[in-house]
Amino acid sequence: MSSAKGLKLADLPHATASPAEEATMDRILQEITDVECRLEGMDSVIPSLAAETKSIRLDIAGFQIRVLGLEQRLVIVEDHLNTTPDRDQELLCPRSKLIDLEDRSNRENFSFFGFPEQIEGTDIQTFLRTTLPTLMSLTFEPPLEFQRVHQLGPK
């Protein structure tokens, strides 16, 4: 850009105008000069803005590549989940067996033999709660409690 600093209408060749026109023209030339100064300041900023924009574009491209990779991995995982049987159902049976085995190993099991058939009546727990203290000549405070009571053999 050519510099228009300090340029006046009177400095231009073949300029013939009234004093009011000259003042208006001088004011317009001054505004053009101010705009030129501001544009010169912007010329130095444009290369750094271009470099920063290029850097941002590269970052965005890198993110897009990462997102595409993650989407592909997600599709693979979803396909795998859709093709395998329901894992909860698959693990339910072994899990219940494991719980049962752990429960049995933690119990203190007692077996009582020699009672006549059907002496317990309809409630085995009540029968044992009253019969065992009598047979052992003991009193239990609090009263005996049983987690589970099972009859062995046919009823």
Side-chain angles (χ1 to χ4, degrees), residues 43-104:
D43 284 347
S44 63
V45 174
I46 289 175
S48 66
L49 287 175
E52 193 171 330
T53 303
K54 184 177 181 179
S55 171
I56 290 171
R57 280 189 199 146
L58 290 174
D59 288 344
I60 290 172
F63 290 136
Q64 286 174 329
I65 290 170
R66 289 181 67 189
V67 166
L68 286 174
L70 290 172
E71 285 176 346
Q72 289 172 348
R73 290 175 60 190
L74 180 62
V75 167
I76 291 169
V77 168
E78 286 175 340
D79 288 345
H80 180 71
L81 287 175
N82 290 334
T83 58
T84 56
D86 187 14
R87 292 188 184 250
D88 288 341
Q89 291 299 323
E90 189 178 302
L91 297 175
L92 187 60
C93 185
R95 184 176 293 158
S96 64
K97 285 181 180 179
L98 176 65
I99 289 170
D100 184 52
L101 288 172
E102 286 176 346
D103 190 30
R104 286 174 191 250

Side-chain angles (χ1 to χ4, degrees), residues 7-153:
L7 188 63
K8 298 209 182 237
L9 184 62
D11 297 338
L12 296 175
H14 309 292
T16 54
S18 68
E21 288 175 334
E22 275 189 39
T24 303
M25 293 300 267
D26 285 341
R27 194 176 59 232
I28 291 171
L29 283 174
Q30 182 60 41
E31 287 180 21
I32 291 172
T33 302
D34 292 343
V35 168
E36 181 184 18
C37 289
R38 281 187 247 149
L39 289 175
E40 284 175 0
M42 288 183 189
D43 284 347
S44 63
V45 174
I46 289 175
S48 66
L49 287 175
E52 193 171 330
T53 303
K54 184 177 181 179
S55 171
I56 290 171
R57 280 189 199 146
L58 290 174
D59 288 344
I60 290 172
F63 290 136
Q64 286 174 329
I65 290 170
R66 289 181 67 189
V67 166
L68 286 174
L70 290 172
E71 285 176 346
Q72 289 172 348
R73 290 175 60 190
L74 180 62
V75 167
I76 291 169
V77 168
E78 286 175 340
D79 288 345
H80 180 71
L81 287 175
N82 290 334
T83 58
T84 56
D86 187 14
R87 292 188 184 250
D88 288 341
Q89 291 299 323
E90 189 178 302
L91 297 175
L92 187 60
C93 185
R95 184 176 293 158
S96 64
K97 285 181 180 179
L98 176 65
I99 289 170
D100 184 52
L101 288 172
E102 286 176 346
D103 190 30
R104 286 174 191 250
S105 69
N106 291 333
R107 284 191 230 146
E108 295 176 5
N109 295 316
F110 295 99
S111 296
F112 299 101
F113 298 97
F115 288 105
E117 290 289 324
Q118 303 204 0
I119 194 171
E120 74 279 357
T122 58
D123 189 1
I124 298 174
Q125 284 196 19
T126 303
F127 171 75
L128 290 175
R129 207 173 278 125
T130 58
T131 306
L132 290 179
T134 305
L135 289 174
M136 295 192 290
S137 299
L138 296 172
T139 56
F140 294 98
E141 289 298 323
L144 287 176
E145 287 197 27
F146 303 98
Q147 284 183 337
R148 294 183 181 153
V149 178
H150 302 280
Q151 178 176 345
L152 298 176

